[in-house]
Amino acid sequence: MTDLDVKPIQAGAIPGPDSLIWRYAGDWRGAFGGRAVLLLQVAHPVVGAGVAEHSEFLEDRWGRLLRTVESTMNFLGYRGEERGRSEAARLREIHKDIKGVDAQGRRYHALNPEAYLWVHATLLHGMIQTQRLFGTPLTPGRERVLHEEWARLAVALGITERHIPESPAAFRDYFDTMVNERLEDNATVRLLIELDRKPLPPPPRWPLPGFAWSGIAGPPTVMLGRMGVGCLPPVLRERFGLRWTSGDERRFRLFARAMRGGDRVLTDRLRYSPVAARAMRRAGRGH
């Protein structure tokens, strides 16, 4: 696929098989930066407060994880445009009632334009970063088209155009400003960092003893945790008090280089998450 092959989606439309969003959001290597994306989101004061006071993820961590994945796959159009539009409307509706006063006495509402845009912004940041670190970095042309698709998808989510950075350069300035001036080390950030130090509990109906789950899930948890720290902007590692040594950086770069080296030989079956791969095959885009 060349830059000229890419067809930007229409304003407010849900992505489809011809979009770069399908290509990059479905790349399973995004999991390496998943922890970082989540920390970026909850470090926004409004998002952090909303999660702390309204989310049930502590009581049902597996259910929350699976519902989030399901929602994302629907919203990004992998299960069809109609379901994508329904999910976009549902997301906006359920956020209407997420409001209150945080621990510092600040009023918050989940549909605060800055906070709502920020969560959507981490999607674009994550796609670009995944390819830069672990895949093939986007050309300026592809980054421009991906930004256009992302901006038009924001409209489908109910974000007004005046709040959306108008170009890749404007997005980078916006992202850096948010990281440097707006994100904070809050109670939800601390909770997620602590939870990341150990594996999720066994999934429902896990048939083996607990120690077997720990042996299986422990190493990936440690690896993904370190990858997440490596994917954070350095200023946030310092702000959150996350240890990151020169040895950590060296190992991280070696791993990323190895992943980039294998990018050209990955087939679609190995490159994409199962949901994305099935959607591409149905659309005649798989190999």
Side-chain angles (χ1 to χ4, degrees):
M1 180 187 291
T2 68
D3 293 344
L4 295 178
D5 294 328
V6 178
K7 302 174 183 177
I9 58 178
Q10 297 301 309
I14 300 300
D18 291 324
S19 69
L20 285 184
I21 284 181
W22 262 40
R23 182 176 181 85
Y24 295 130
D27 191 325
W28 67 266
R29 291 169 296 185
F32 294 138
R35 260 75 165 182
V37 167
L38 188 55
L39 285 174
L40 285 169
Q41 291 177 357
V42 301
H44 189 286
V46 172
V47 181
V51 170
E53 298 187 5
H54 295 270
S55 176
E56 299 178 351
F57 77 97
L58 279 178
E59 291 77 17
D60 183 19
R61 293 178 65 190
W62 274 104
R64 183 73 175 98
L65 173 63
L66 295 175
R67 287 191 297 272
T68 297
V69 172
E70 180 77 5
S71 172
T72 302
M73 294 296 101
N74 287 341
F75 173 57
L76 295 179
Y78 290 114
R79 294 191 173 98
E81 182 176 356
E82 182 177 351
R83 189 175 293 189
R85 288 191 177 281
S86 296
E87 185 61 20
R90 188 189 74 87
L91 287 171
R92 191 163 184 87
E93 184 65 27
I94 64 175
H95 283 85
K96 287 181 178 179
D97 295 328
I98 300 178
K99 55 188 174 181
V101 179
D102 70 11
Q104 299 184 40
R106 300 172 297 190
R107 292 189 176 276
Y108 67 87
H109 192 293
L111 292 182
N112 168 287
E114 182 193 81
Y116 209 51
L117 173 62
W118 176 244
V119 172
H120 189 55
T122 62
L123 169 67
L124 179 58
H125 167 74
M127 289 188 291
I128 293 172
Q129 184 182 60
T130 295
Q131 298 308 312
R132 177 174 59 83
L133 291 175
F134 308 115
T136 298
L138 274 65
T139 64
R142 285 202 171 197
E143 186 174 355
R144 184 184 67 253
V145 172
L146 183 63
H147 175 271
E148 290 173 358
E149 293 179 0
W150 167 84
R152 292 167 182 176
L153 184 57
V155 175
L157 196 57
I159 299 169
T160 55
E161 292 187 24
R162 70 176 183 273
H163 293 120
I164 301 170
E166 61 184 12
S167 67
F171 180 86
R172 288 190 291 270
D173 289 343
Y174 153 80
F175 184 86
D176 290 344
T177 298
M178 290 293 291
V179 166
N180 291 321
E181 300 179 10
R182 192 71 172 108
L183 303 189
E184 64 180 19
D185 181 8
N186 57 42
T188 306
V189 168
R190 304 315 314 167
L191 175 60
L192 292 184
I193 289 173
E194 182 59 32
L195 290 175
D196 256 354
R197 301 187 193 282
K198 52 190 176 182
L200 282 167
R205 295 183 294 278
W206 173 251
L208 301 177
F211 69 83
W213 171 254
S214 298
I216 294 170
T221 297
V222 172
M223 188 274 283
L224 290 174
R226 298 314 291 165
M227 289 293 105
V229 176
C231 288
L232 279 174
V235 66
L236 288 185
R237 287 187 216 132
E238 183 176 353
R239 191 174 303 163
F240 298 162
L242 294 169
R243 185 172 179 269
W244 189 254
T245 67
S246 58
D248 290 326
E249 181 68 19
R250 183 171 59 255
R251 287 186 289 272
F252 180 79
R253 290 185 178 276
L254 286 172
F255 178 83
R257 185 185 305 165
M259 294 300 299
R260 289 194 301 273
D263 185 62
R264 292 184 179 179
V265 300
L266 284 181
T267 64
D268 285 357
R269 187 179 297 274
L270 296 177
R271 185 186 304 275
Y272 298 115
S273 68
V275 172
R278 285 195 297 271
M280 289 181 176
R281 288 196 296 273
R282 287 196 303 269
R285 298 299 191 273
H287 299 295

